[in-house]
Amino acid sequence: LVLKTLTPQEGGDPLHLAHGTGIVVADVVADPAISVSRAPVTATTTRRVSIRGSGFDLDGVVVQLEPTWASAFEVEQVFADEIVLRLAEGKAWTPSGGGVAYKIPPGGVPLTVTRLTTSAGDFVFKDASGRAAPVQVATIVEDVKTSSGDVVTCDDSCAWALDGVCDDGSRPRGGGEGGGGG
Protein backbone atom coordinates (compact mmCIF):
# COMPACT_ATOMS: atom_id res chain seq x y z
CA LEU A 1 0.00 0.00 0.00
CA VAL A 2 1.52 3.30 -1.13
CA LEU A 3 0.58 6.70 0.27
CA LYS A 4 1.19 9.37 -2.35
CA THR A 5 -0.53 12.51 -1.07
CA LEU A 6 -1.59 14.06 2.23
CA THR A 7 -4.14 16.84 2.31
CA PRO A 8 -4.13 18.99 5.47
CA GLN A 9 -7.49 19.11 7.36
CA GLU A 10 -7.39 22.89 7.55
CA GLY A 11 -7.07 23.14 3.77
CA GLY A 12 -4.20 24.24 1.67
CA ASP A 13 -2.13 22.52 -0.94
CA PRO A 14 -1.75 18.74 -0.79
CA LEU A 15 1.62 17.39 0.25
CA HIS A 16 3.03 15.03 -2.39
CA LEU A 17 5.16 12.40 -0.71
CA ALA A 18 8.48 11.37 -2.27
CA HIS A 19 7.91 13.82 -5.14
CA GLY A 20 4.60 12.18 -6.01
CA THR A 21 5.86 8.61 -6.18
CA GLY A 22 4.68 7.96 -2.61
CA ILE A 23 5.96 5.93 0.30
CA VAL A 24 5.13 2.35 1.24
CA VAL A 25 2.99 2.33 4.38
CA ALA A 26 1.99 -1.36 4.46
CA ASP A 27 2.45 -4.68 2.71
CA VAL A 28 -0.88 -6.20 1.76
CA VAL A 29 -0.82 -9.98 1.61
CA ALA A 30 -3.43 -12.47 0.50
CA ASP A 31 -5.09 -14.74 3.03
CA PRO A 32 -3.44 -18.14 2.99
CA ALA A 33 -5.32 -21.00 1.35
CA ILE A 34 -4.65 -24.70 1.92
CA SER A 35 -5.39 -27.56 -0.44
CA VAL A 36 -7.23 -30.48 1.13
CA SER A 37 -5.31 -33.76 1.17
CA ARG A 38 -6.07 -37.13 2.67
CA ALA A 39 -2.68 -38.64 1.83
CA PRO A 40 -1.66 -41.22 4.44
CA VAL A 41 1.18 -40.41 6.84
CA THR A 42 2.33 -42.85 9.49
CA ALA A 43 2.21 -41.85 13.15
CA THR A 44 5.97 -41.85 13.80
CA THR A 45 7.87 -42.91 10.68
CA THR A 46 6.70 -40.25 8.24
CA ARG A 47 9.29 -37.58 8.95
CA ARG A 48 7.91 -34.81 6.74
CA VAL A 49 4.45 -33.54 5.83
CA SER A 50 3.88 -31.07 3.00
CA ILE A 51 1.04 -28.57 3.21
CA ARG A 52 0.13 -27.36 -0.27
CA GLY A 53 -1.68 -24.12 -0.95
CA SER A 54 -1.01 -20.45 -1.58
CA GLY A 55 -0.38 -17.18 0.20
CA PHE A 56 2.34 -18.55 2.47
CA ASP A 57 4.73 -16.01 3.98
CA LEU A 58 8.30 -16.78 2.92
CA ASP A 59 9.57 -14.91 5.98
CA GLY A 60 8.18 -17.66 8.17
CA VAL A 61 4.98 -19.14 9.47
CA VAL A 62 3.70 -20.80 12.61
CA VAL A 63 1.39 -23.74 11.97
CA GLN A 64 -1.18 -25.03 14.45
CA LEU A 65 -2.23 -28.63 13.85
CA GLU A 66 -4.78 -31.00 15.33
CA PRO A 67 -4.26 -33.52 16.86
CA THR A 68 -0.48 -32.97 16.77
CA TRP A 69 1.19 -31.18 19.67
CA ALA A 70 3.20 -28.08 18.75
CA SER A 71 6.33 -29.54 20.37
CA ALA A 72 6.20 -32.57 18.05
CA PHE A 73 7.14 -30.76 14.81
CA GLU A 74 8.80 -27.72 13.34
CA VAL A 75 8.41 -25.77 10.12
CA GLU A 76 11.35 -26.92 8.02
CA GLN A 77 10.80 -24.90 4.82
CA VAL A 78 8.32 -22.39 3.45
CA PHE A 79 7.66 -21.74 -0.22
CA ALA A 80 4.94 -19.60 -1.82
CA ASP A 81 2.84 -22.73 -2.43
CA GLU A 82 4.10 -25.23 0.17
CA ILE A 83 4.99 -25.52 3.84
CA VAL A 84 7.16 -28.49 4.84
CA LEU A 85 6.83 -29.72 8.42
CA ARG A 86 9.41 -32.01 10.02
CA LEU A 87 8.55 -34.39 12.85
CA ALA A 88 10.89 -34.05 15.85
CA GLU A 89 12.95 -37.07 16.82
CA GLY A 90 11.06 -39.41 19.14
CA LYS A 91 7.72 -37.64 18.53
CA ALA A 92 4.52 -38.61 16.73
CA TRP A 93 1.91 -36.87 14.56
CA THR A 94 -0.60 -38.09 17.15
CA PRO A 95 -0.54 -36.84 20.75
CA SER A 96 1.77 -39.06 22.78
CA GLY A 97 3.93 -39.03 25.88
CA GLY A 98 3.18 -37.76 29.36
CA GLY A 99 0.85 -40.68 29.99
CA VAL A 100 -1.17 -40.10 26.81
CA ALA A 101 -1.84 -43.19 24.70
CA TYR A 102 -3.52 -42.22 21.44
CA LYS A 103 -5.33 -45.02 19.63
CA ILE A 104 -5.60 -44.48 15.88
CA PRO A 105 -9.00 -45.71 14.65
CA PRO A 106 -9.32 -47.93 11.56
CA GLY A 107 -9.06 -45.71 8.49
CA GLY A 108 -6.84 -43.23 10.32
CA VAL A 109 -7.40 -39.83 11.86
CA PRO A 110 -7.39 -36.48 10.00
CA LEU A 111 -4.32 -34.27 10.40
CA THR A 112 -5.70 -30.74 10.14
CA VAL A 113 -4.40 -27.18 10.09
CA THR A 114 -6.46 -24.97 12.35
CA ARG A 115 -4.41 -21.76 12.19
CA LEU A 116 -1.47 -20.16 10.38
CA THR A 117 0.43 -17.23 11.82
CA THR A 118 2.41 -15.10 9.39
CA SER A 119 3.93 -11.63 9.52
CA ALA A 120 0.42 -10.40 8.63
CA GLY A 121 -1.01 -12.00 11.78
CA ASP A 122 -3.16 -15.00 12.70
CA PHE A 123 -5.38 -16.66 10.13
CA VAL A 124 -7.95 -19.10 11.53
CA PHE A 125 -9.66 -21.32 8.97
CA LYS A 126 -13.44 -20.84 9.08
CA ASP A 127 -16.46 -21.86 7.04
CA ALA A 128 -18.88 -19.43 5.34
CA SER A 129 -20.86 -19.02 8.58
CA GLY A 130 -17.74 -18.06 10.56
CA ARG A 131 -17.35 -21.31 12.48
CA ALA A 132 -13.98 -22.99 12.83
CA ALA A 133 -13.28 -25.26 9.85
CA PRO A 134 -9.83 -26.88 10.07
CA VAL A 135 -8.37 -28.00 6.72
CA GLN A 136 -7.30 -31.63 6.41
CA VAL A 137 -3.76 -31.98 5.02
CA ALA A 138 -3.18 -35.72 5.63
CA THR A 139 -4.59 -38.84 7.28
CA ILE A 140 -2.55 -40.27 10.17
CA VAL A 141 -2.40 -44.06 10.04
CA GLU A 142 -0.63 -46.66 12.19
CA ASP A 143 3.06 -47.24 11.56
CA VAL A 144 3.76 -50.07 9.14
CA LYS A 145 5.13 -53.12 10.94
CA THR A 146 6.82 -56.29 9.80
CA SER A 147 5.38 -59.70 10.65
CA SER A 148 7.71 -59.77 13.67
CA GLY A 149 6.32 -56.46 14.94
CA ASP A 150 9.28 -54.23 14.01
CA VAL A 151 8.39 -50.77 12.73
CA VAL A 152 9.28 -50.22 9.07
CA THR A 153 11.25 -46.97 9.01
CA CYS A 154 10.63 -45.97 5.40
CA ASP A 155 6.99 -45.64 4.43
CA ASP A 156 7.56 -43.74 1.12
CA SER A 157 4.79 -41.24 1.93
CA CYS A 158 6.50 -37.88 1.38
CA ALA A 159 6.04 -35.47 -1.53
CA TRP A 160 7.42 -38.04 -3.99
CA ALA A 161 5.46 -40.94 -2.54
CA LEU A 162 5.01 -44.31 -4.13
CA ASP A 163 7.96 -43.90 -6.48
CA GLY A 164 9.77 -46.90 -4.98
CA VAL A 165 12.51 -44.74 -3.47
CA CYS A 166 12.92 -44.22 0.26
CA ASP A 167 13.01 -40.42 0.35
CA ASP A 168 13.71 -40.01 4.07
CA GLY A 169 17.30 -41.30 3.77
CA SER A 170 16.77 -44.29 6.06
CA ARG A 171 17.61 -46.72 3.23
CA PRO A 172 19.85 -46.38 0.20
CA ARG A 173 18.31 -45.69 -3.22
CA GLY A 174 16.92 -48.85 -4.76
CA GLY A 175 15.75 -50.21 -1.45
CA GLY A 176 19.02 -51.65 -0.19
CA GLU A 177 18.73 -54.90 1.69
CA GLY A 178 15.59 -56.82 0.86
CA GLY A 179 14.76 -54.74 -2.25
CA GLY A 180 11.58 -52.76 -2.42
CA GLY A 181 12.62 -49.22 -1.72
CA GLY A 182 9.93 -48.08 0.59
Side-chain angles (χ1 to χ4, degrees):
L1 184 60
V2 177
L3 179 62
K4 293 185 175 187
T5 306
L6 289 175
T7 304
Q9 282 184 327
E10 58 276 348
D13 292 333
L15 174 63
H16 299 284
L17 303 172
H19 305 288
T21 60
I23 59 172
V24 176
V25 293
D27 287 327
V28 179
V29 296
D31 288 340
I34 293 179
S35 301
V36 173
S37 174
R38 291 175 176 77
V41 297
T42 56
T44 65
T45 59
T46 299
R47 305 306 302 160
R48 288 173 178 79
V49 169
S50 289
I51 299 170
R52 307 248 185 223
S54 62
F56 302 143
D57 189 346
L58 299 179
D59 293 328
V61 298
V62 176
V63 179
Q64 185 175 332
L65 299 174
E66 284 184 4
T68 309
W69 290 344
S71 62
F73 70 94
E74 67 178 27
V75 175
E76 183 175 60
Q77 291 181 303
V78 180
F79 304 98
D81 61 351
E82 179 182 19
I83 300 170
V84 180
L85 307 178
R86 185 170 52 87
L87 188 63
E89 196 64 41
K91 300 290 185 175
W93 293 110
T94 54
S96 60
V100 173
Y102 193 90
K103 177 70 176 141
I104 297 174
V109 63
L111 176 63
T112 61
V113 176
T114 58
R115 170 185 306 216
L116 283 179
T117 304
T118 69
S119 60
D122 280 344
F123 186 83
V124 177
F125 294 92
K126 297 179 180 181
D127 64 16
S129 64
R131 285 182 275 171
V135 180
Q136 183 172 352
V137 294
T139 301
I140 305 167
V141 297
E142 291 284 351
D143 289 332
V144 177
K145 295 184 180 175
T146 64
S147 57
S148 63
D150 295 328
V151 174
V152 176
T153 58
C154 180
D155 63 6
D156 196 21
S157 64
C158 74
W160 303 279
L162 308 176
D163 63 356
V165 176
C166 186
D167 301 303
D168 67 2
S170 64
R171 285 199 233 157
R173 283 189 154 310
E177 203 174 274

